Amino acid sequence: MAQRPKARCDVVVIGAGYSGLYALHKLRDRMGLDVIGLEAAADVGGTWYWNRYPGARCDIESIHYSYSFDEQLQLDWSWSERYSAQPEILAYLNHVADRFDLRRNYRFGTRVTSMEWDDDAGRWRVDTDDGDEIAARFVVAGTGNVSIPKEPEFAGLESFAGPMYATHAWPHSEPDLTGQRVGIIGTGASGIQAIPKLAERAGHLTVFQRTPNFATPLRNRPSDPEEVAATKANYSAVRAAARNSFLGVPYARAEHSALEVTPEHRRQTYDRGWRTGGFAILVESYTDLLVDEQANDTVAEYTRERIRERVTDPAVAELLCPDDHAFGTKRLPMETGYYETFNRDNVTLVDVKPNPIEAVTPTGLRLTDGTEYELDVLVLATGFDAFTGALTRMGIVGRDGQKLNDVWAAGPVSYLGLMTNGFPNLFTITGPGAAVALYNNPLAIEDHVDLATTVLQHMLDNGHETIEPDAQAQAAWREELNQRAHATLFPRANSWYMGANIPGKPRVVMMYVGAAAEYRATCADVVDDDYRGFDFNRAAPSRTPPCSSRG
Ligand code: NAP
């Protein structure tokens, strides 16, 4: 492999999704720093580059699931649907890259293979699979929370004779499934979006379900020009309202406990949420759905009733009704015609909970009891090594040779989800411990990039060389994450929120459970209180050469 010349820069930004693109723009164009972007994919888009399976679309309304940092950008761009499909979101991110001329700083098709902090130089040495070696004073990792797939656990996977597709890496040219016997494993948000579309295209679709999920109707429709005009006339107020709402979407605020109202009141409320679609039923209905099991039971049972109404075969309906977790404590998928899909003649639901998949065979799947399913095509929608997967695969070595993987062996630790003690000048955008999974991602990302760049500007203004959180602040943040989460029903579910979807992964609270406004207030308070909890110059290098151009 031809070795490229060693490069130097102020900041390496990893990733060209929502996080990386905004970070690169802000660092380069607003702060005047020398930035190199690294991206494993051939182009921009992040999750929306890779997840191009049939049915992939956002489930936060597009007018909210978009950048707010540039007024003219949000006024100029128009979404064709209430919830845009993957191609339109990817087109948007391409538009952003073009508009702000972001591609020129990126090296695409380049994956970080290792990153080592050099205390003497006060630099990260970043190595890539292209043979790049970059010395950077700061690294901003915009590597995403659900970007690295879960390793498939099925024996014999390589023996399958037909094509195998994964939702997280769907081919760029759409496979022709006409007349094919297709099997899909996984009924999370990806599977629930893909299954109705695959059923329309396949000869026969067999859905291998281990655990049913609560899913609520998406209620997608073309954008309403009047609504769009009203939003655009008032976009900054809309964004402020979003940032002050749970989930980062300006849903109406719930006011009552589900247990202080009558069954009729609950029925009307849940009907309204069900008709509205999206997260409305979870967020707008009652204050205690995520903290009180009895309250949660009311919305869980309401949802099971809707499932039973929509699925004609009662036995199939029962299989689709979740009973192992509280409503909304696993990431709620949104559906369009999902339940009716199981009324089709060409769709079979197979419960692999009592009878797990034993092996993939050359001709299909075999279950533990020996039942074989013949398949032409196999689709995996088996999820992600969430929160930590991308960061623990980059070979990150911090101060004194500490490996991030060792420091995080019992679960990730961080301060504000932004930095980890022992890893100076490394910013993890919406990293583990940040407000992200319960916060509309583009806004969560903007907030976190803004926090990182505020810290960075402070360092530049004050001549600081390094920053990292102190161990006490980090321990206190872990405690806060635990306390917040354990005051809710979230930790009880076997979800990727808890790392529970990956065999052997430590089961810990991986995210900030709370409203975005509270998290943002905490971050603002830290900044105002002279960057409380951060150590500056702890790992100060003996000599830090000035940043120069590459070469
Ligand atoms: P997921 O929610 O983790 O679902 C993975 C599915 O695969 C589950 O049904 C799981 O069953 C099944 N599975 C995994 N290993 C299995 C095994 N060995 N045998 C049988 N079944 C197995 O993953 P996802 O659907 O890709 O969604 C992940 C997240 O990505 C979402 O929660 C969401 O945040 C994001 N996403 C968002 C959208 C959107 O609309 N914006 C769309 C797609 C994804 P068990 O539950 O039994 O483990």
Side-chain angles (χ1 to χ4, degrees):
M1 186 193 315
Q3 203 69 9
R4 291 208 221 177
K6 292 177 186 172
R8 297 174 61 80
C9 64
D10 295 313
V11 193
V12 161
V13 168
I14 309 173
Y18 268 99
S19 298
L21 292 179
Y22 176 51
L24 196 142
H25 165 63
K26 186 139 192 213
L27 291 159
R28 185 193 68 183
D29 300 336
R30 300 203 186 164
M31 296 174 69
L33 295 171
D34 181 18
V35 186
I36 295 176
L38 302 173
E39 167 56 59
D43 206 344
V44 301
T47 203
W48 298 105
Y49 175 90
W50 296 105
N51 288 267
R52 47 181 82 210
Y53 57 85
R57 63 176 67 244
C58 60
D59 55 15
I60 299 274
E61 286 180 67
S62 292
I63 53 165
H64 304 301
Y65 190 85
S66 49
Y67 287 124
S68 69
F69 70 83
D70 186 278
E71 177 66 6
Q72 205 53 47
L73 168 66
Q74 61 184 8
L75 292 181
D76 289 350
W77 185 265
S78 292
W79 298 101
S80 66
E81 294 177 273
R82 185 181 182 199
Y83 299 97
S84 292
Q86 174 270 338
E88 190 166 26
I89 304 171
L90 187 58
Y92 169 74
L93 291 171
N94 273 278
H95 168 77
V96 171
D98 291 342
R99 188 179 179 114
F100 297 99
D101 191 18
L102 300 177
R103 280 195 185 78
R104 74 182 152 88
N105 286 66
Y106 270 104
R107 299 179 181 186
F108 291 103
T110 304
R111 190 177 284 280
V112 173
T113 49
S114 69
M115 258 177 63
E116 193 157 352
W117 172 254
D118 178 342
D119 236 353
D120 293 331
R123 292 279 187 281
W124 281 99
R125 176 191 150 145
V126 181
D127 291 298
T128 75
D129 60 355
D130 262 1
D132 289 343
E133 183 187 316
I134 305 166
R137 193 169 160 195
F138 301 99
V139 173
V140 174
T143 41
N145 283 299
V146 281
S147 49
I148 297 294
K150 174 183 172 180
E151 298 278 342
E153 303 149 300
F154 310 110
L157 202 63
E158 334 61 50
S159 72
F160 186 63
M164 191 155 43
Y165 305 113
T167 47
H168 69 265
W170 200 257
H172 287 217
S173 51
E174 196 54 45
D176 183 5
L177 302 178
T178 316
Q180 303 285 293
R181 294 166 302 176
V182 179
I184 180 168
I185 306 172
T187 52
S190 304
I192 285 173
Q193 286 186 331
I195 285 164
K197 298 288 176 194
L198 295 176
E200 285 167 12
R201 295 170 196 190
H204 192 92
L205 180 70
T206 307
V207 178
F208 298 93
Q209 172 189 272
R210 188 164 64 182
T211 315
N213 264 298
F214 291 104
T216 58
L218 184 66
R219 310 274 184 223
N220 190 30
R221 52 171 165 71
S223 290
D224 175 341
E226 282 184 21
E227 269 176 32
V228 171
T231 299
K232 288 191 175 179
N234 215 6
Y235 227 143
S236 55
V238 171
R239 299 296 197 173
R243 285 191 152 91
N244 282 319
S245 307
F246 184 59
L247 291 191
V249 179
Y251 283 116
R253 215 173 278 262
E255 286 178 357
H256 300 285
S257 157
L259 304 178
E260 68 179 324
V261 298
T262 62
E264 294 71 32
H265 187 284
R266 283 198 294 268
R267 174 71 202 220
Q268 279 174 9
T269 305
Y270 293 148
D271 278 349
R272 192 166 56 241
W274 195 257
R275 276 196 308 273
T276 304
F279 290 94
I281 192 168
L282 178 66
V283 181
E284 296 189 338
S285 297
Y286 297 107
T287 53
D288 47 359
L289 297 183
L290 290 170
V291 294
D292 185 298
E293 203 171 342
Q294 219 189 326
N296 192 286
D297 283 346
T298 64
V299 69
E301 190 47 32
Y302 173 89
T303 307
R304 287 190 281 262
E305 282 168 18
R306 303 288 75 71
I307 295 171
R308 292 179 188 120
E309 279 169 6
R310 290 169 61 183
V311 179
T312 24
D313 181 333
V316 174
E318 273 330 294
L319 283 182
L320 290 165
C321 285
D323 63 1
D324 76 322
H325 64 281
F327 182 91
T329 56
K330 283 176 145 184
R331 204 303 197 154
L332 206 54
M334 305 294 148
E335 55 84 25
T336 303
Y338 177 66
Y339 292 108
E340 288 78 6
T341 297
F342 294 93
N343 299 333
R344 295 174 66 111
D345 291 337
N346 72 333
V347 175
T348 307
L349 180 65
V350 178
D351 181 8
V352 296
K353 182 83 137 202
N355 187 16
I357 297 164
E358 184 181 72
V360 176
T361 67
T363 54
L365 280 187
R366 188 174 62 248
L367 305 188
T368 308
D369 73 352
T371 312
E372 303 244 5
Y373 289 86
E374 300 245 309
L375 302 171
D376 303 309
V377 177
L378 183 58
V379 176
L380 298 178
T382 43
F384 295 87
D385 184 356
F387 293 108
T388 53
L391 294 162
T392 55
R393 277 170 182 75
M394 287 199 302
I396 301 177
V397 180
R399 194 161 22 78
D400 302 329
Q402 294 181 92
K403 293 182 177 151
L404 185 74
N405 294 25
D406 291 340
V407 174
W408 284 7
V413 285
S414 75
Y415 184 43
L416 306 173
L418 186 72
M419 300 197 88
T420 297
N421 174 265
F423 298 83
N425 296 11
L426 168 62
F427 298 93
T428 50
I429 300 306
T430 65
V436 57
L438 302 177
Y439 185 15
N440 174 15
N441 271 213
L443 298 191
I445 284 165
E446 286 183 334
D447 288 356
H448 231 215
V449 169
D450 290 346
L451 177 63
T453 52
T454 299
V455 171
L456 222 141
Q457 189 63 55
H458 175 79
M459 292 180 67
L460 299 175
D461 292 347
N462 291 279
H464 297 317
E465 295 295 346
T466 65
I467 180 173
E468 65 189 289
D470 69 52
Q472 268 182 329
Q474 188 167 282
W477 187 248
R478 159 72 24 225
E479 191 49 37
E480 167 143 13
L481 295 181
N482 286 342
Q483 276 182 10
R484 287 179 161 276
H486 287 286
T488 71
L489 302 174
F490 281 108
R492 302 189 197 177
N494 291 324
S495 66
W496 61 260
Y497 289 164
M498 298 295 298
N501 64 323
I502 306 282
K505 188 167 176 173
R507 187 187 179 115
V508 297
V509 176
M510 300 257 177
M511 62 189 194
Y512 178 89
V513 175
E518 292 170 69
Y519 176 78
R520 288 170 52 247
T522 300
C523 294
D525 191 45
V526 164
V527 169
D528 290 348
D529 192 14
D530 203 18
Y531 298 87
R532 186 182 65 236
F534 284 110
D535 266 357
F536 291 99
N537 298 325
R538 171 146 182 231
S542 47
R543 182 181 60 88
T544 304
C547 283
S548 62
S549 54
R550 297 177 200 178

